[in-house]
Amino acid sequence: MIEMQQTVSTEASAVAVFDYLSDFTNAEQWDPNAVAVKTLSGDGRIGTRYRVESKFAGRTTTLDYELTDVEPHSLIRLRGEKKSITAVDTITVVEVGDRTEVTYAVAFDFNGVLGLLEPLLRFAVRRLFTDGAEGLSRELDRLAH
């Protein structure tokens, strides 16, 4: 399993940040690797399903995610699964003084042949994660202004 997390800080309010991030289709704006994100079913509550088409390791891949946990204004967790991978994205939102801190954590569990390649895939995951965290920071700063 590959796990990574990063915290970014913004002047945007925790409510604005949470509202923005809880609509996972907005990942197209903040994650430069997300080619397309669409809602398959649901209304943004637990059980809502999304299809994410993204660039990974030089290829375009599709993964269906389900919103598994939500704690208003503080936690969003999604789980994506297909035969070769299980991914869990966890976003926490915390107000710290006059700023909001967002911790973005990912956990990838590769199966089958990809499981054997996991040590090599760590570099691709790190790049994907770093790009996503940078984009997240940029977009959250836009919310503040």
Side-chain angles (χ1 to χ4, degrees):
M1 180 175 288
I2 299 173
E3 298 177 306
M4 296 182 185
Q5 85 172 33
Q6 185 166 342
T7 300
V8 298
S9 179
T10 181
E11 293 178 356
S13 74
V15 171
V17 167
F18 184 87
D19 289 348
Y20 175 76
L21 294 175
S22 65
D23 179 355
F24 201 54
T25 62
N26 286 329
E28 282 184 33
Q29 297 170 3
W30 60 264
D31 185 349
N33 297 294
V35 175
V37 181
K38 68 178 185 175
T39 304
L40 296 176
S41 64
D43 59 2
R45 295 185 209 161
I46 291 175
T48 299
R49 296 185 53 78
Y50 300 93
R51 175 155 295 150
V52 179
E53 183 181 340
S54 59
K55 295 178 282 184
F56 179 72
R59 299 180 48 190
T60 300
T61 186
T62 302
L63 188 58
D64 290 349
Y65 280 86
E66 181 175 341
L67 183 61
T68 60
D69 296 291
V70 176
E71 292 178 19
H73 307 293
S74 64
L75 174 84
I76 302 160
R77 183 171 294 121
L78 300 111
R79 179 182 178 89
E81 275 189 273
K82 66 181 186 179
K83 186 177 179 182
S84 59
I85 186 172
T86 300
V88 177
D89 290 24
T90 304
I91 301 168
T92 56
V93 179
V94 178
E95 208 166 54
V96 178
D98 61 348
R99 299 191 62 81
T100 301
E101 290 186 354
V102 177
T103 300
Y104 177 50
V106 296
F108 290 99
D109 194 10
F110 295 99
N111 307 310
V113 174
L114 287 181
L116 299 174
L117 298 174
E118 187 172 295
L120 299 173
L121 292 172
R122 184 171 298 279
F123 298 106
V125 169
R126 182 172 287 119
R127 178 67 184 181
L128 180 85
F129 183 72
T130 300
D131 290 350
E134 289 172 3
L136 179 61
S137 181
R138 181 185 62 250
E139 291 303 313
L140 295 180
D141 283 345
R142 287 186 186 168
L143 282 179
H145 299 101

Short mmCIF file of all heavy atoms in Angstrom, two decimals, residues 12-64:
data_model
loop_
_atom_site.label_atom_id
_atom_site.label_comp_id
_atom_site.label_asym_id
_atom_site.label_seq_id
_atom_site.Cartn_x
_atom_site.Cartn_y
_atom_site.Cartn_z
N ALA A 12 -9.26 31.23 3.01
CA ALA A 12 -10.69 30.97 2.78
C ALA A 12 -11.30 30.34 4.02
O ALA A 12 -10.63 29.61 4.76
CB ALA A 12 -10.86 30.05 1.58
N SER A 13 -12.57 30.61 4.24
CA SER A 13 -13.24 30.07 5.43
C SER A 13 -13.39 28.55 5.33
O SER A 13 -13.47 27.99 4.23
CB SER A 13 -14.62 30.71 5.59
OG SER A 13 -15.53 30.19 4.63
N ALA A 14 -13.46 27.92 6.48
CA ALA A 14 -13.62 26.47 6.52
C ALA A 14 -14.92 26.05 5.83
O ALA A 14 -14.96 25.03 5.14
CB ALA A 14 -13.59 25.97 7.96
N VAL A 15 -15.98 26.82 5.99
CA VAL A 15 -17.26 26.50 5.37
C VAL A 15 -17.14 26.57 3.84
O VAL A 15 -17.58 25.66 3.13
CB VAL A 15 -18.38 27.44 5.87
CG1 VAL A 15 -19.65 27.25 5.07
CG2 VAL A 15 -18.64 27.19 7.36
N ALA A 16 -16.51 27.63 3.33
CA ALA A 16 -16.34 27.76 1.88
C ALA A 16 -15.47 26.64 1.32
O ALA A 16 -15.77 26.07 0.27
CB ALA A 16 -15.74 29.13 1.54
N VAL A 17 -14.41 26.31 2.04
CA VAL A 17 -13.50 25.23 1.61
C VAL A 17 -14.24 23.90 1.59
O VAL A 17 -14.17 23.15 0.61
CB VAL A 17 -12.26 25.18 2.53
CG1 VAL A 17 -11.48 23.90 2.31
CG2 VAL A 17 -11.38 26.40 2.31
N PHE A 18 -14.95 23.60 2.66
CA PHE A 18 -15.67 22.33 2.73
C PHE A 18 -16.72 22.24 1.63
O PHE A 18 -16.84 21.21 0.96
CB PHE A 18 -16.33 22.15 4.10
CG PHE A 18 -17.00 20.82 4.24
CD1 PHE A 18 -16.28 19.72 4.67
CD2 PHE A 18 -18.33 20.66 3.93
CE1 PHE A 18 -16.88 18.47 4.78
CE2 PHE A 18 -18.95 19.42 4.04
CZ PHE A 18 -18.23 18.33 4.47
N ASP A 19 -17.49 23.31 1.44
CA ASP A 19 -18.53 23.30 0.40
C ASP A 19 -17.92 23.06 -0.98
O ASP A 19 -18.46 22.30 -1.77
CB ASP A 19 -19.32 24.61 0.42
CG ASP A 19 -20.23 24.73 1.64
OD1 ASP A 19 -20.43 23.72 2.35
OD2 ASP A 19 -20.72 25.85 1.88
N TYR A 20 -16.79 23.68 -1.24
CA TYR A 20 -16.11 23.52 -2.53
C TYR A 20 -15.62 22.08 -2.70
O TYR A 20 -15.84 21.44 -3.73
CB TYR A 20 -14.95 24.51 -2.62
CG TYR A 20 -14.09 24.36 -3.85
CD1 TYR A 20 -14.54 24.82 -5.09
CD2 TYR A 20 -12.83 23.78 -3.77
CE1 TYR A 20 -13.75 24.70 -6.22
CE2 TYR A 20 -12.04 23.65 -4.89
CZ TYR A 20 -12.50 24.11 -6.11
OH TYR A 20 -11.71 23.98 -7.24
N LEU A 21 -14.95 21.54 -1.68
CA LEU A 21 -14.35 20.21 -1.79
C LEU A 21 -15.37 19.09 -1.71
O LEU A 21 -15.14 18.00 -2.24
CB LEU A 21 -13.28 20.02 -0.72
CG LEU A 21 -12.06 20.92 -0.87
CD1 LEU A 21 -11.12 20.74 0.31
CD2 LEU A 21 -11.34 20.65 -2.18
N SER A 22 -16.51 19.33 -1.07
CA SER A 22 -17.50 18.27 -0.95
C SER A 22 -18.18 17.97 -2.28
O SER A 22 -18.80 16.92 -2.43
CB SER A 22 -18.53 18.60 0.13
OG SER A 22 -19.28 19.74 -0.23
N ASP A 23 -18.06 18.87 -3.25
CA ASP A 23 -18.51 18.58 -4.62
C ASP A 23 -17.29 18.04 -5.36
O ASP A 23 -16.47 18.80 -5.86
CB ASP A 23 -19.06 19.82 -5.29
CG ASP A 23 -19.51 19.56 -6.72
OD1 ASP A 23 -19.32 18.43 -7.23
OD2 ASP A 23 -20.06 20.49 -7.34
N PHE A 24 -17.17 16.73 -5.42
CA PHE A 24 -15.96 16.11 -5.95
C PHE A 24 -15.74 16.40 -7.44
O PHE A 24 -14.64 16.25 -7.95
CB PHE A 24 -15.97 14.60 -5.69
CG PHE A 24 -14.62 13.96 -5.74
CD1 PHE A 24 -13.58 14.43 -4.96
CD2 PHE A 24 -14.38 12.89 -6.58
CE1 PHE A 24 -12.32 13.84 -5.01
CE2 PHE A 24 -13.13 12.28 -6.64
CZ PHE A 24 -12.09 12.77 -5.85
N THR A 25 -16.79 16.86 -8.14
CA THR A 25 -16.59 17.24 -9.53
C THR A 25 -15.65 18.44 -9.64
O THR A 25 -15.05 18.66 -10.69
CB THR A 25 -17.92 17.54 -10.26
OG1 THR A 25 -18.57 18.65 -9.63
CG2 THR A 25 -18.82 16.33 -10.27
N ASN A 26 -15.48 19.19 -8.56
CA ASN A 26 -14.52 20.31 -8.56
C ASN A 26 -13.07 19.84 -8.65
O ASN A 26 -12.18 20.65 -8.87
CB ASN A 26 -14.72 21.19 -7.33
CG ASN A 26 -15.96 22.04 -7.44
OD1 ASN A 26 -16.36 22.44 -8.53
ND2 ASN A 26 -16.59 22.31 -6.31
N ALA A 27 -12.83 18.55 -8.48
CA ALA A 27 -11.47 18.03 -8.60
C ALA A 27 -10.88 18.34 -9.97
O ALA A 27 -9.67 18.47 -10.11
CB ALA A 27 -11.43 16.53 -8.32
N GLU A 28 -11.73 18.50 -10.97
CA GLU A 28 -11.24 18.89 -12.30
C GLU A 28 -10.50 20.22 -12.24
O GLU A 28 -9.58 20.46 -13.02
CB GLU A 28 -12.39 19.03 -13.29
CG GLU A 28 -12.90 17.73 -13.82
CD GLU A 28 -13.98 17.96 -14.88
OE1 GLU A 28 -13.93 18.95 -15.63
OE2 GLU A 28 -14.89 17.12 -14.93
N GLN A 29 -10.91 21.10 -11.34
CA GLN A 29 -10.29 22.42 -11.22
C GLN A 29 -8.99 22.37 -10.43
O GLN A 29 -8.04 23.07 -10.76
CB GLN A 29 -11.25 23.40 -10.55
CG GLN A 29 -12.51 23.64 -11.33
CD GLN A 29 -13.54 24.42 -10.53
OE1 GLN A 29 -13.30 24.83 -9.40
NE2 GLN A 29 -14.70 24.61 -11.12
N TRP A 30 -8.96 21.58 -9.35
CA TRP A 30 -7.78 21.63 -8.49
C TRP A 30 -6.78 20.50 -8.71
O TRP A 30 -5.62 20.62 -8.29
CB TRP A 30 -8.16 21.72 -7.01
CG TRP A 30 -8.97 20.61 -6.44
CD1 TRP A 30 -10.33 20.58 -6.30
CD2 TRP A 30 -8.50 19.37 -5.89
NE1 TRP A 30 -10.72 19.41 -5.71
CE2 TRP A 30 -9.62 18.65 -5.45
CE3 TRP A 30 -7.23 18.81 -5.74
CZ2 TRP A 30 -9.51 17.40 -4.86
CZ3 TRP A 30 -7.12 17.57 -5.15
CH2 TRP A 30 -8.25 16.87 -4.71
N ASP A 31 -7.19 19.42 -9.35
CA ASP A 31 -6.27 18.32 -9.59
C ASP A 31 -5.89 18.29 -11.07
O ASP A 31 -6.69 17.91 -11.92
CB ASP A 31 -6.90 16.99 -9.20
CG ASP A 31 -5.94 15.82 -9.32
OD1 ASP A 31 -4.85 15.98 -9.91
OD2 ASP A 31 -6.28 14.73 -8.81
N PRO A 32 -4.67 18.72 -11.40
CA PRO A 32 -4.27 18.77 -12.81
C PRO A 32 -4.24 17.41 -13.50
O PRO A 32 -4.21 17.33 -14.72
CB PRO A 32 -2.88 19.41 -12.79
CG PRO A 32 -2.39 19.24 -11.40
CD PRO A 32 -3.59 19.14 -10.51
N ASN A 33 -4.28 16.33 -12.73
CA ASN A 33 -4.30 14.99 -13.32
C ASN A 33 -5.71 14.50 -13.61
O ASN A 33 -5.89 13.48 -14.28
CB ASN A 33 -3.58 14.01 -12.39
CG ASN A 33 -2.12 14.38 -12.25
OD1 ASN A 33 -1.36 14.30 -13.20
ND2 ASN A 33 -1.73 14.80 -11.06
N ALA A 34 -6.72 15.19 -13.08
CA ALA A 34 -8.11 14.82 -13.32
C ALA A 34 -8.55 15.36 -14.68
O ALA A 34 -8.70 16.56 -14.85
CB ALA A 34 -9.01 15.34 -12.21
N VAL A 35 -8.74 14.48 -15.62
CA VAL A 35 -9.17 14.86 -16.97
C VAL A 35 -10.65 15.19 -16.96
O VAL A 35 -11.09 16.19 -17.54
CB VAL A 35 -8.86 13.73 -17.97
CG1 VAL A 35 -9.39 14.06 -19.35
CG2 VAL A 35 -7.36 13.44 -18.00
N ALA A 36 -11.45 14.36 -16.31
CA ALA A 36 -12.90 14.55 -16.23
C ALA A 36 -13.43 13.88 -14.97
O ALA A 36 -13.00 12.79 -14.62
CB ALA A 36 -13.58 13.97 -17.46
N VAL A 37 -14.36 14.56 -14.30
CA VAL A 37 -15.02 14.00 -13.13
C VAL A 37 -16.51 14.24 -13.30
O VAL A 37 -16.94 15.38 -13.51
CB VAL A 37 -14.55 14.67 -11.82
CG1 VAL A 37 -15.24 14.03 -10.62
CG2 VAL A 37 -13.03 14.59 -11.67
N LYS A 38 -17.29 13.17 -13.23
CA LYS A 38 -18.73 13.35 -13.34
C LYS A 38 -19.44 12.55 -12.26
O LYS A 38 -18.95 11.52 -11.80
CB LYS A 38 -19.24 12.97 -14.73
CG LYS A 38 -19.16 11.51 -15.06
CD LYS A 38 -19.74 11.28 -16.46
CE LYS A 38 -19.79 9.81 -16.78
NZ LYS A 38 -20.44 9.54 -18.04
N THR A 39 -20.59 13.06 -11.88
CA THR A 39 -21.42 12.38 -10.89
C THR A 39 -22.19 11.27 -11.58
O THR A 39 -22.85 11.51 -12.59
CB THR A 39 -22.40 13.37 -10.23
OG1 THR A 39 -21.66 14.45 -9.67
CG2 THR A 39 -23.22 12.68 -9.15
N LEU A 40 -22.07 10.05 -11.07
CA LEU A 40 -22.82 8.92 -11.62
C LEU A 40 -24.18 8.79 -10.96
O LEU A 40 -25.17 8.44 -11.61
CB LEU A 40 -22.04 7.62 -11.42
CG LEU A 40 -20.71 7.52 -12.15
CD1 LEU A 40 -20.01 6.21 -11.78
CD2 LEU A 40 -20.90 7.62 -13.65
N SER A 41 -24.23 9.03 -9.64
CA SER A 41 -25.49 8.94 -8.91
C SER A 41 -25.33 9.64 -7.57
O SER A 41 -24.22 9.81 -7.08
CB SER A 41 -25.89 7.48 -8.68
OG SER A 41 -24.94 6.82 -7.85
N GLY A 42 -26.45 10.06 -7.00
CA GLY A 42 -26.43 10.66 -5.68
C GLY A 42 -26.50 12.17 -5.72
O GLY A 42 -26.45 12.79 -6.79
N ASP A 43 -26.60 12.73 -4.52
CA ASP A 43 -26.78 14.17 -4.38
C ASP A 43 -25.72 14.82 -3.49
O ASP A 43 -25.95 15.85 -2.88
CB ASP A 43 -28.17 14.46 -3.82
CG ASP A 43 -28.40 13.78 -2.47
OD1 ASP A 43 -27.46 13.13 -1.95
OD2 ASP A 43 -29.52 13.91 -1.94
N GLY A 44 -24.56 14.20 -3.39
CA GLY A 44 -23.48 14.75 -2.58
C GLY A 44 -23.43 14.20 -1.17
O GLY A 44 -22.54 14.54 -0.40
N ARG A 45 -24.39 13.35 -0.83
CA ARG A 45 -24.37 12.71 0.49
C ARG A 45 -23.66 11.36 0.39
O ARG A 45 -23.30 10.92 -0.69
CB ARG A 45 -25.80 12.51 0.98
CG ARG A 45 -26.52 13.81 1.23
CD ARG A 45 -27.87 13.58 1.84
NE ARG A 45 -28.72 14.69 1.43
CZ ARG A 45 -30.03 14.66 1.45
NH1 ARG A 45 -30.67 13.58 1.86
NH2 ARG A 45 -30.72 15.70 1.07
N ILE A 46 -23.50 10.71 1.53
CA ILE A 46 -22.87 9.39 1.54
C ILE A 46 -23.55 8.49 0.52
O ILE A 46 -24.77 8.47 0.42
CB ILE A 46 -22.92 8.77 2.95
CG1 ILE A 46 -21.99 9.57 3.88
CG2 ILE A 46 -22.52 7.30 2.94
CD1 ILE A 46 -22.03 9.14 5.33
N GLY A 47 -22.75 7.77 -0.23
CA GLY A 47 -23.26 6.89 -1.28
C GLY A 47 -23.19 7.50 -2.67
O GLY A 47 -23.36 6.80 -3.66
N THR A 48 -22.95 8.82 -2.75
CA THR A 48 -22.81 9.46 -4.06
C THR A 48 -21.63 8.84 -4.79
O THR A 48 -20.58 8.59 -4.20
CB THR A 48 -22.63 10.98 -3.92
OG1 THR A 48 -23.80 11.52 -3.28
CG2 THR A 48 -22.43 11.65 -5.27
N ARG A 49 -21.82 8.57 -6.07
CA ARG A 49 -20.77 7.92 -6.89
C ARG A 49 -20.28 8.87 -7.97
O ARG A 49 -21.08 9.58 -8.58
CB ARG A 49 -21.30 6.63 -7.49
CG ARG A 49 -21.65 5.61 -6.40
CD ARG A 49 -22.08 4.27 -6.95
NE ARG A 49 -21.13 3.68 -7.89
CZ ARG A 49 -20.00 3.05 -7.56
NH1 ARG A 49 -19.66 2.93 -6.31
NH2 ARG A 49 -19.22 2.54 -8.49
N TYR A 50 -18.97 8.84 -8.19
CA TYR A 50 -18.32 9.69 -9.19
C TYR A 50 -17.45 8.82 -10.09
O TYR A 50 -16.86 7.85 -9.63
CB TYR A 50 -17.41 10.72 -8.52
CG TYR A 50 -18.11 11.64 -7.57
CD1 TYR A 50 -18.18 11.34 -6.21
CD2 TYR A 50 -18.69 12.82 -8.02
CE1 TYR A 50 -18.82 12.20 -5.32
CE2 TYR A 50 -19.33 13.68 -7.14
CZ TYR A 50 -19.39 13.36 -5.80
OH TYR A 50 -20.02 14.21 -4.92
N ARG A 51 -17.35 9.19 -11.34
CA ARG A 51 -16.40 8.57 -12.26
C ARG A 51 -15.30 9.58 -12.52
O ARG A 51 -15.56 10.70 -12.94
CB ARG A 51 -17.07 8.16 -13.57
CG ARG A 51 -16.05 7.62 -14.58
CD ARG A 51 -16.66 6.69 -15.58
NE ARG A 51 -17.15 5.50 -14.89
CZ ARG A 51 -18.20 4.79 -15.33
NH1 ARG A 51 -18.83 5.14 -16.42
NH2 ARG A 51 -18.59 3.71 -14.66
N VAL A 52 -14.06 9.16 -12.25
CA VAL A 52 -12.91 10.03 -12.40
C VAL A 52 -12.01 9.47 -13.49
O VAL A 52 -11.53 8.34 -13.39
CB VAL A 52 -12.12 10.18 -11.08
CG1 VAL A 52 -10.90 11.07 -11.27
CG2 VAL A 52 -13.02 10.70 -9.97
N GLU A 53 -11.80 10.26 -14.52
CA GLU A 53 -10.83 9.92 -15.57
C GLU A 53 -9.60 10.76 -15.28
O GLU A 53 -9.68 11.98 -15.16
CB GLU A 53 -11.41 10.25 -16.94
CG GLU A 53 -10.52 9.88 -18.08
CD GLU A 53 -11.12 10.24 -19.43
OE1 GLU A 53 -12.36 10.43 -19.50
OE2 GLU A 53 -10.35 10.34 -20.39
N SER A 54 -8.46 10.09 -15.10
CA SER A 54 -7.25 10.83 -14.75
C SER A 54 -6.03 10.29 -15.46
O SER A 54 -6.02 9.17 -15.96
CB SER A 54 -7.03 10.80 -13.23
OG SER A 54 -6.91 9.48 -12.78
N LYS A 55 -4.99 11.14 -15.48
CA LYS A 55 -3.70 10.73 -16.02
C LYS A 55 -2.89 10.11 -14.90
O LYS A 55 -2.79 10.69 -13.81
CB LYS A 55 -2.96 11.95 -16.59
CG LYS A 55 -3.65 12.59 -17.78
CD LYS A 55 -2.90 13.81 -18.25
CE LYS A 55 -3.21 14.94 -17.31
NZ LYS A 55 -2.65 16.24 -17.67
N PHE A 56 -2.34 8.93 -15.15
CA PHE A 56 -1.51 8.27 -14.15
C PHE A 56 -0.45 7.45 -14.85
O PHE A 56 -0.76 6.62 -15.69
CB PHE A 56 -2.36 7.36 -13.24
CG PHE A 56 -1.56 6.62 -12.22
CD1 PHE A 56 -1.02 7.29 -11.14
CD2 PHE A 56 -1.31 5.26 -12.35
CE1 PHE A 56 -0.26 6.62 -10.18
CE2 PHE A 56 -0.55 4.59 -11.41
CZ PHE A 56 -0.03 5.27 -10.33
N ALA A 57 0.80 7.72 -14.52
CA ALA A 57 1.95 6.98 -15.07
C ALA A 57 1.93 6.98 -16.59
O ALA A 57 2.19 5.97 -17.23
CB ALA A 57 1.99 5.56 -14.51
N GLY A 58 1.60 8.14 -17.17
CA GLY A 58 1.65 8.28 -18.62
C GLY A 58 0.44 7.74 -19.36
O GLY A 58 0.41 7.75 -20.59
N ARG A 59 -0.56 7.26 -18.63
CA ARG A 59 -1.77 6.70 -19.26
C ARG A 59 -3.00 7.39 -18.69
O ARG A 59 -2.95 7.97 -17.61
CB ARG A 59 -1.86 5.21 -18.99
CG ARG A 59 -0.68 4.43 -19.57
CD ARG A 59 -0.77 2.97 -19.30
NE ARG A 59 -2.10 2.47 -19.63
CZ ARG A 59 -2.54 1.27 -19.34
NH1 ARG A 59 -1.74 0.44 -18.70
NH2 ARG A 59 -3.74 0.88 -19.67
N THR A 60 -4.09 7.27 -19.40
CA THR A 60 -5.37 7.75 -18.89
C THR A 60 -6.13 6.55 -18.35
O THR A 60 -6.20 5.51 -19.00
CB THR A 60 -6.18 8.45 -20.00
OG1 THR A 60 -5.41 9.56 -20.49
CG2 THR A 60 -7.50 8.96 -19.46
N THR A 61 -6.65 6.69 -17.13
CA THR A 61 -7.36 5.60 -16.49
C THR A 61 -8.65 6.13 -15.87
O THR A 61 -8.78 7.31 -15.60
CB THR A 61 -6.48 4.93 -15.40
OG1 THR A 61 -7.15 3.78 -14.89
CG2 THR A 61 -6.13 5.88 -14.29
N THR A 62 -9.59 5.24 -15.68
CA THR A 62 -10.88 5.61 -15.09
C THR A 62 -11.08 4.82 -13.80
O THR A 62 -10.79 3.63 -13.74
CB THR A 62 -12.03 5.30 -16.07
OG1 THR A 62 -11.79 6.02 -17.28
CG2 THR A 62 -13.36 5.71 -15.49
N LEU A 63 -11.56 5.53 -12.79
CA LEU A 63 -11.83 4.90 -11.50
C LEU A 63 -13.13 5.46 -10.95
O LEU A 63 -13.34 6.68 -10.96
CB LEU A 63 -10.68 5.19 -10.53
CG LEU A 63 -10.66 4.47 -9.19
CD1 LEU A 63 -10.64 2.96 -9.37
CD2 LEU A 63 -9.45 4.91 -8.38
N ASP A 64 -14.02 4.59 -10.52
CA ASP A 64 -15.28 5.02 -9.92
C ASP A 64 -15.10 5.12 -8.41
O ASP A 64 -14.60 4.19 -7.77
CB ASP A 64 -16.40 4.03 -10.24
CG ASP A 64 -16.81 4.07 -11.71
OD1 ASP A 64 -16.38 5.00 -12.43
OD2 ASP A 64 -17.55 3.18 -12.13
#
